[in-house]
Amino acid sequence: MTGEFVQAWRAEQLVCLAVSRTVAEGLLGVLDDVECSLTGRRRRFGRRPRPLPDRRLFPDAYFDREASEEFRARHGRMMRNRVLDAVRRTSVLFAHAHESGDEPAVVTVPEVAVADVFCALGHAQSLFLSRPRWNALVDWPTVTLLRGGRELTWLVTCQTALADAALATVPEPGDEEPTNPA
């Protein structure tokens, strides 16, 4: 396979994401940017991504904007730490697949880690959207022309493929449909 691609499938207690080396490298950079945005640390070569405020990371918990801001003030640190932990664990999975040198890089996600990867890929989209991701209006046919558009497309594609594969049922031995010999 050549070019940029993402494929996913379920295998017993795992979900596997096969991504091109280009996608793997790009997503590793994005996950590093998210970590830097959450922690305030500088990225390689002294570049510091813009911070991600809680308002962009987390939707309103209430219809009342003030109550939602108070909720973020009380729980924002805990929620940010959960996202940061998920991003770090997801980075390890992608780094392990990338360092294997295989083409494609196969990211093996244990069933118990699917939520982490889904969380990390979802929150990473905040880096590329001018509005919070749940209110963003994206012109998908032209998104790759925008700065960060390729990365946003990879994030959404991986997240969608992960969800589809994670929700698929794995046939039990003996559950296969009998073939018609006729």
Side-chain angles (χ1 to χ4, degrees), residues 123-177:
H123 283 86
Q125 295 170 33
S126 300
L127 292 173
F128 306 104
L129 299 170
S130 59
R131 296 167 59 179
R133 67 188 183 288
W134 53 91
N135 288 332
L137 303 174
V138 178
D139 181 21
W140 287 107
T142 63
V143 75
T144 57
L145 303 174
L146 302 174
R147 183 172 177 262
R150 283 179 38 200
E151 290 85 352
L152 178 60
T153 301
W154 295 337
L155 290 164
V156 171
T157 302
C158 284
Q159 190 180 36
T160 302
L162 176 74
D164 287 344
L167 294 172
T169 57
V170 177
E172 295 291 326
D175 283 354
E176 294 85 26
E177 299 247 346

Side-chain angles (χ1 to χ4, degrees), residues 52-168:
L52 286 171
D54 288 349
R55 176 79 182 109
R56 287 198 46 185
L57 287 170
F58 310 114
D60 290 340
Y62 303 99
F63 289 115
D64 179 62
R65 187 177 202 130
E66 188 175 309
S68 292
E69 290 300 327
E70 289 172 6
F71 179 86
R72 281 189 204 94
R74 284 191 315 272
H75 301 286
R77 178 178 291 225
M78 178 197 60
M79 293 186 302
R80 288 174 76 81
N81 287 339
R82 183 162 187 269
V83 171
L84 180 60
D85 291 344
V87 166
R88 287 176 172 161
R89 288 188 291 263
T90 300
S91 292
V92 169
L93 294 174
F94 273 86
H96 180 71
H98 181 262
E99 290 167 2
S100 74
D102 295 338
E103 177 67 44
V106 178
V107 182
T108 304
V109 183
E111 199 172 68
V112 297
V114 168
D116 276 346
V117 177
F118 200 82
C119 174
L121 297 175
H123 283 86
Q125 295 170 33
S126 300
L127 292 173
F128 306 104
L129 299 170
S130 59
R131 296 167 59 179
R133 67 188 183 288
W134 53 91
N135 288 332
L137 303 174
V138 178
D139 181 21
W140 287 107
T142 63
V143 75
T144 57
L145 303 174
L146 302 174
R147 183 172 177 262
R150 283 179 38 200
E151 290 85 352
L152 178 60
T153 301
W154 295 337
L155 290 164
V156 171
T157 302
C158 284
Q159 190 180 36
T160 302
L162 176 74
D164 287 344
L167 294 172

